[in-house]
Amino acid sequence: MIGQLHSVVIDAPDAHALAGFYAQLLGMDVKGSPGDDWVVVTGAGYRIAFQQAPDLQPPDWPDPARPQQFHLDIRVADVDEAEPKVLALGARRLPGGGGDFRVYADPVGHPFCLVWDA
């Protein structure tokens, strides 16, 4: 081993707002203030960082001209219970999915999946 993963870093036009979305979605805590260029959410031994990128061109799933860049798979016990909650946080459903996952976009347009055991 050369190193260990410290953070996943996600660009956002408003780092604090997107950090708040993921903190609520994952039950984590936000470390940072509105207007900060770097905001971190932590909890359950995990860390996701968000950096200010005012000119971000979000992905346009599933268009390969603007690919997804990265995505998070978020395990849920019941997708039909979880879906309205993520939509209420500002996510939107995207085309695609399968027998054990559904595809969404966060408020900035980054794709993520809700996954479960089918």
Side-chain angles (χ1 to χ4, degrees), residues 8-43 46-53 56 70 72 74 89 106-110:
V8 172
V9 181
I10 301 173
D11 289 351
D14 182 336
H16 191 267
L18 193 59
F21 169 84
Y22 279 102
Q24 290 181 53
L25 176 63
L26 300 170
M28 298 170 81
D29 297 315
V30 176
K31 310 266 191 239
S33 301
D36 287 352
D37 287 342
W38 183 267
V39 181
V40 175
V41 297
T42 60
Y46 300 101
R47 169 187 160 109
I48 305 172
F50 299 84
Q51 66 182 359
Q52 200 70 18
L56 176 73
F70 84 96
L72 301 175
I74 299 166
L89 288 176
D106 68 22
V108 175
H110 302 112

Side-chain angles (χ1 to χ4, degrees), residues 36-95:
D36 287 352
D37 287 342
W38 183 267
V39 181
V40 175
V41 297
T42 60
Y46 300 101
R47 169 187 160 109
I48 305 172
F50 299 84
Q51 66 182 359
Q52 200 70 18
D55 298 324
L56 176 73
Q57 292 295 312
D60 189 15
W61 174 266
D63 183 358
R66 289 187 28 214
Q68 64 181 330
Q69 303 164 4
F70 84 96
H71 78 271
L72 301 175
D73 286 341
I74 299 166
R75 182 174 300 279
V76 297
D78 182 337
V79 71
D80 293 321
E81 182 179 318
E83 181 173 80
K85 293 176 182 177
V86 300
L87 297 175
L89 288 176
R92 62 187 162 85
R93 181 89 185 263
L94 294 177

